[in-house]
Amino acid sequence: MMTMMMQIRPHIGISRLMVVVGAVVLLLLLQGRPAEAQPSPGYYPSSKVSSMPFSQWYTNLWGAQHQSLSPDQTSLTLWMDRSSGSGFKSKRAYRNGYFGVSMKVQPGYTAGVNTAFYLSNNEVYPGYHDEIDVELLGTVPGEPYTLQTNVYVRGTGDAHPIVGREMRFHLWFDPAAAFHHYAVLWNPDEIVFLVDDVPVRRYQKKVEATFPEREMWAYGSVWDASDWATDGGRYRSDYRYQPFVSGFKDFKVAGCEVGAPASCGPVPAGPGGGLSSQQTAAMSWAQQRAMVYYYCQDSSKDRSNYPEC
């Protein structure tokens, strides 16, 4: 091959040619290399909770005409178009627990579209609510989806400006290619966000006023968040690509409902109650490889709003 290339380009020196050939070989090797494997957390909270039919624990909240439930009630499809999005809500309120669902989002142009699974008490405490968010924020072709996790406490999501506690990720897989399981483990002393049972974030109770303690319901939705969701609102929903479809399945809930006896204990995050060393290592891997934003590292934030940092 070198002789042929030298005949075609005789003015290329041998040393330069070797560099070019070496670069090509390296590129081919990198293209053929498999993606970095997701580490084993060693403990799988989702396996401790059985999946349930949607209607057993959830009900439509809005946009019923933009929902489709499978005959066996194990999967739900939501979609958004110019007229509406759609959402659902748990039938019961909880004071702690494990809340998980598998989601798959739409490929292509999805800027502005927010596919969310979250806990909230906004309907009971309007203007002063708590919220724990897992959001897949839509994107433009060639750019990855963003997973945003967030915590609002006692109205910080209702403030002007909003005081959010975001941590964002560009995941190590394509969330539009297959279903993946996303979960929130909300306990009295910490919140753990999990993706396919890998902890990606732990939000600990460090300051009383920065941790949600009031009862919350579980929600899911697809809605237009064009004002901020994709590159700070630079790219907005384009309804030439409607409908925007998201799938939900493997509905899992386990925890202490409001009114449960005091003996009802929190769902353990790990084999010994808290995260194990193996789970913590997996979380470090996820943050080092995939985290793209952390509010405590944002120098533009007013630090007085974030004593936990």
Side-chain angles (χ1 to χ4, degrees), residues 203-285:
Y203 182 85
Q204 295 176 297
K205 182 178 180 181
K206 297 179 179 179
V207 182
E208 194 76 23
T210 65
F211 195 86
E213 297 178 316
R214 299 177 295 181
E215 76 280 13
M216 289 193 278
W217 287 255
Y219 295 80
S221 63
V222 176
W223 61 288
D224 190 334
S226 287
D227 287 346
W228 59 269
T230 307
D231 200 8
R234 178 184 177 189
Y235 299 101
R236 304 180 66 84
S237 295
D238 187 338
Y239 288 101
R240 291 177 300 173
Y241 301 101
Q242 68 177 18
F244 300 102
V245 180
S246 296
F248 297 77
K249 67 177 185 177
D250 298 327
F251 302 95
K252 295 175 181 281
V253 175
C256 297
E257 298 177 18
V258 172
S263 58
C264 181
V267 177
L275 293 179
S276 67
S277 58
Q278 189 171 348
Q279 287 175 293
T280 302
M283 182 170 65
S284 296
W285 174 89

Side-chain angles (χ1 to χ4, degrees), residues 34-75:
E36 185 178 358
Q38 171 182 309
S40 169
Y43 183 81
Y44 300 87
S46 69
S47 69
K48 313 297 181 183
V49 183
S50 298
S51 297
M52 63 188 76
F54 172 83
S55 299
Q56 182 175 342
W57 293 103
Y58 289 99
T59 186
N60 169 70
L61 181 62
W62 61 286
Q65 73 279 14
H66 288 67
Q67 294 185 12
S68 177
L69 183 63
S70 65
D72 61 3
Q73 298 196 9
T74 60
S75 63

Side-chain angles (χ1 to χ4, degrees), residues 41 100 114 121 125 142 160 163 190 200 206 213 219 259 301 305 307:
N114 186 332
N121 50 30
Y125 305 104
H160 299 283
V163 179
E190 68 178 7
V200 297
K206 297 179 179 179
E213 297 178 316
Y219 295 80
K301 296 282 192 182
N305 291 323

